[in-house]
Amino acid sequence: MNVPKVTDGELNILEVLWDSGPLKATDIVKSMYALKNWNRNTTYTFINRLVEKKIVAREEPGFICSALYTREEVGSSETKDFVNKMFMGSYRRLVSAFLNSGDVEEDDIKAIEEMLKKKRE
């Protein structure tokens, strides 16, 4: 699946839609004001960008917005782009950087080991 690139601002709108389901644009405005203190124009700018990119569907009447991609689909696409950009497409280099960061906790290592075990099966 070819998911269009998402900016941080657009991701904020998507998070609201993923958490709440389809919403009227006016309800997204209220949520973004409460979460980020965004004004109406800023929120509508990001909504319209998402609609133009075909990441969000706009339905009438009522300017109802719904996400066309799941959180997982967007996350997977963004992760691939990040790995390609920062680690020359190598997940091995990503894991190496992660492990060498010094911020890895034992429970994270155990959880990753379990994920790898399941992936092999």
Side-chain angles (χ1 to χ4, degrees), residues 7-113:
T7 67
D8 290 347
E10 293 164 349
L11 187 57
N12 286 307
I13 301 292
L14 286 170
E15 290 289 347
V16 169
L17 290 172
W18 289 327
D19 290 343
S20 302
L23 290 172
K24 289 184 176 185
T26 55
D27 292 330
I28 298 171
V29 168
K30 290 174 190 171
S31 291
M32 293 314 300
Y33 182 78
L35 292 169
K36 300 281 185 179
N37 202 28
W38 284 6
N39 68 37
R40 181 182 182 278
N41 291 341
T42 299
T43 301
Y44 272 98
T45 296
F46 284 115
I47 292 171
N48 287 325
R49 286 183 192 169
L50 288 165
V51 170
E52 288 171 15
K53 290 181 177 183
K54 294 182 173 46
I55 299 170
V56 166
R58 174 185 175 166
E59 298 174 38
E60 295 297 342
F63 201 151
I64 308 293
C65 298
S66 54
L68 296 174
Y69 295 95
T70 65
R71 179 181 271 121
E72 292 75 19
E73 289 168 333
V74 172
S76 178
S77 177
E78 292 292 319
T79 299
K80 286 177 187 173
D81 288 346
F82 175 73
V83 170
N84 286 334
K85 178 180 177 181
M86 298 303 298
F87 301 100
M88 295 181 274
S90 170
Y91 285 92
R92 183 180 302 160
R93 289 180 184 193
L94 168 68
V95 172
S96 176
F98 170 70
L99 293 173
N100 291 324
S101 71
D103 297 333
V104 185
E105 296 182 13
E106 186 61 33
D107 60 331
D108 288 329
I109 293 171
K110 287 179 183 176
I112 292 167
E113 286 172 340

